[in-house]
Amino acid sequence: MGAKGNILVIDDELGIREGSRRALEPQGFTVETAATLQEGLRKIREGDFDLVLLDVMLPDGRGIDLLPPIREKDPDIVSVIITGYATVELAVEAIKQGAYDFISKPFTSDLLLMTVNQGLEKRRLSLEAKRLQAIEREAAELARAKEELERLDRFKATFTLMVAHELRAPVHALQSFLLSLLKGYIPPDQQQTILQRAIERSQELLDLVDDLLNLAAAKEELAPPKRKVLSLADALEKVVPLLQVQAEEKGMTFTVEVRQRPLVEANPGQMGQLWTNLISNGIKYTPAGGRVTVTLEEKDRWAMGTVEDTGIGIASEDQAKIFEEFYRTPQAKEMEHRGTGLGLPLVKRIVEGHEGTIEIESALGQGSRFSFRLPVATGVTSEGTNQSGQ
Ligand SMILES: Nc1ncnc2c1ncn2[C@@H]1O[C@H](COP(=O)(O)OP(=O)(O)OP(=O)(O)O)[C@@H](O)[C@H]1O
Ligand SMILES: [Mg+2]
């Protein structure tokens, strides 16, 4: 490749071809020539040119018709039209097709050199601009990635802080109960009550630690080897009895309606956590005497579960927030001061980790409905699809 550039001269006049060669080669350009449109086309396709000098009239066609193949080969190849008579019409057409400049026959070596150098300068600038654009795009991408990392970093820091804060409260309560007992501040007839409260706080602490462990495990356990094909109905029926007791204690109506028994490819423990968290929320955030209804069905290769209650509801501005760690609505805090706000983040992680989705419909003071869907296990048919579970 010539140090200053590769030039292709396409002209049927030998004088122009050789004249151009004599003018350009001593200046450090590499020059190739073609005498017909066909030969020119072949050289364009095979070669690697920076600039093409192109005669308008060739024995086998119009030179302008080479402009599209030149652009197709490399949009930054500079084309200069050689013409015996420059007409406006021709100029307009050539420029439309992407020609850069004209040079009229006969021309001096100086004019040729100047035209070629200007054309190559234009090419250099255009390539440089493209390179800069690419660098800019890369820089923008890097900036985005950096921002995302910083956001995660900030999240980690606040998360740790919130965990510490949540853990501190029950431990602090336990410690003051124990100190009061140790120092004999508690009259014997109240000791039983204090111990009972201490046990409750330690249970709270255990629940919190379990939630944190589940949440942390949710990510790793989702890897396919820990999954198996299982019935989502079985997972539901396993957790129902305990929840039934809780609902009955509050005088609530608790109904479970298993319409189909879809099979999913999932982590068994997590399917239990999914149902338990959604149903226990329904029971927890519904006043005594209310209703919690659970349904399960299969539709279009999706396992669809819903948990609906007639409870306190969730304001629309809170509906996205409740999936964030530790977020609890003001209404929930007022009704039930126990709770850490880790249940739904776990639910979301489990559902999304199994390629599913979850949605809420809710109105404050009227009730809530959580609907999730998980893909039915591929390659297996769910036998007994129409048998009702309850
Ligand atoms: N069925 C529901 N009805 C009304 N509000 C709900 C319901 N389910 C969840 N919420 C709201 O979403 C918040 C987050 O729920 P999540 O299950 O994550 O936490 P929690 O139940 O408060 O505590 P825990 O970590 O013990 O489950 C709740 O505090 C409550 O504000
Ligand atoms: Mg909960």
Side-chain angles (χ1 to χ4, degrees):
M1 199 192 263
K4 289 181 71 180
N6 289 345
I7 316 289
L8 175 63
V9 183
I10 307 174
D11 199 307
D12 56 335
E13 273 180 57
L14 181 68
I16 295 284
R17 295 200 301 275
E18 290 315 309
S20 302
R21 190 194 293 284
R22 274 197 304 279
L24 295 170
E25 278 184 349
Q27 304 294 323
F29 296 100
T30 305
V31 177
E32 280 209 41
T33 61
T36 62
L37 192 129
Q38 281 313 315
E39 191 187 357
L41 187 61
R42 188 172 54 74
K43 292 210 165 166
I44 287 161
R45 291 203 171 128
E46 288 167 4
D48 211 352
F49 299 101
D50 302 304
L51 187 141
V52 180
L53 283 159
L54 188 56
D55 188 7
V56 268
M57 292 301 206
L58 292 165
D60 53 344
R62 303 187 321 155
I64 283 184
D65 294 335
L66 283 176
L67 291 172
I70 291 176
R71 227 184 15 230
E72 196 181 302
K73 165 88 191 204
D74 169 4
D76 287 305
I77 293 180
V78 177
S79 306
V80 176
I81 304 292
I82 305 171
T83 154
Y85 50 96
T87 68
V88 175
E89 243 168 288
L90 185 77
V92 170
E93 190 181 352
I95 296 292
K96 259 199 213 152
Q97 304 264 10
Y100 169 67
D101 205 354
F102 287 88
I103 187 165
S104 316
K105 291 190 221 181
F107 47 79
T108 61
S109 339
D110 283 349
L111 182 63
L112 178 64
L113 268 176
M114 201 180 82
T115 311
V116 165
N117 278 324
Q118 273 174 3
L120 290 176
E121 176 66 6
K122 181 228 155 197
R123 173 175 161 87
R124 205 184 54 75
L125 289 176
S126 152
L127 289 175
E128 182 67 10
K130 278 190 183 160
R131 211 173 57 86
L132 285 177
Q133 269 169 17
I135 290 176
E136 247 164 53
R137 263 198 307 275
E138 231 165 79
E141 248 158 58
L142 278 177
R144 254 198 308 281
K146 181 166 174 269
E147 211 167 276
E148 181 63 15
L149 273 179
E150 282 169 358
R151 202 183 60 76
L152 279 174
D153 242 22
R154 278 196 302 277
F155 174 76
K156 251 162 98 185
T158 24
F159 185 79
T160 313
L161 212 76
M162 285 193 286
V163 170
H165 178 81
E166 292 290 318
L167 288 172
R168 196 172 190 285
V171 175
H172 188 245
L174 271 175
Q175 194 189 41
S176 62
F177 292 150
L178 291 174
L179 275 176
S180 310
L181 285 170
L182 185 71
K183 297 203 170 152
Y185 296 157
I186 314 285
D189 61 323
Q190 281 175 33
Q191 287 177 4
Q192 200 63 22
T193 323
I194 289 294
L195 283 173
Q196 189 54 46
R197 296 235 300 268
I199 287 170
E200 279 165 20
R201 296 311 295 258
S202 66
Q203 185 57 49
E204 212 176 293
L205 195 56
L206 267 182
D207 289 347
L208 174 57
V209 170
D210 283 345
D211 280 353
L212 283 169
L213 286 176
N214 286 335
L215 197 62
K219 244 198 182 126
E220 282 102 68
E221 283 187 12
L222 291 174
K226 298 254 171 99
R227 294 192 191 185
K228 58 178 217 175
V229 174
L230 58 94
S231 152
L232 200 53
D234 288 353
L236 170 61
E237 284 155 4
K238 227 176 265 174
V239 301
V240 158
L242 193 70
L243 293 161
Q244 183 96 49
V245 174
Q246 288 173 21
E248 273 163 16
E249 276 172 2
K250 274 182 84 173
M252 297 172 64
T253 318
F254 179 45
T255 0
V256 177
E257 204 184 307
V258 177
R259 297 181 194 141
Q260 281 96 30
R261 307 182 69 82
L263 298 177
V264 291
E265 201 175 322
N267 176 296
Q270 289 187 339
M271 291 303 106
Q273 288 168 10
L274 171 59
W275 284 119
T276 305
N277 274 290
L278 289 177
I279 298 170
S280 69
N281 279 350
I283 297 171
K284 188 152 119 186
Y285 299 116
T286 301
R291 220 170 39 240
V292 172
T293 313
V294 179
T295 67
L296 172 62
E297 62 185 330
E298 180 179 335
K299 226 188 213 165
D300 304 327
R301 313 263 331 139
W302 288 100
M304 324 246 280
T306 67
V307 178
E308 189 174 349
D309 64 56
T310 55
I312 59 173
I314 304 151
S316 49
E317 67 268 22
D318 280 331
Q319 290 178 9
K321 291 191 201 153
I322 56 171
F323 290 102
E324 291 169 10
E325 282 84 355
F326 300 113
Y327 187 81
R328 304 187 69 220
T329 63
Q331 294 78 18
K333 285 188 203 163
E334 190 181 318
M335 178 175 185
E336 171 69 64
H337 80 266
R338 277 187 56 164
T340 45
L342 287 175
L344 287 180
L346 175 65
V347 162
K348 187 171 148 81
R349 203 179 265 192
I350 290 173
V351 169
E352 290 179 355
H354 287 85
E355 296 85 39
T357 56
I358 180 158
E359 284 168 19
I360 323 173
E361 283 162 76
S362 182
L364 209 51
Q366 291 178 29
S368 313
R369 189 229 296 261
F370 288 79
S371 324
F372 69 86
R373 52 166 68 200
L374 298 174
V376 166
T378 47
V380 281
T381 47
S382 53
E383 335 159 359
T385 296
N386 288 315
Q387 117 202 12
S388 167
Q390 194 92 2

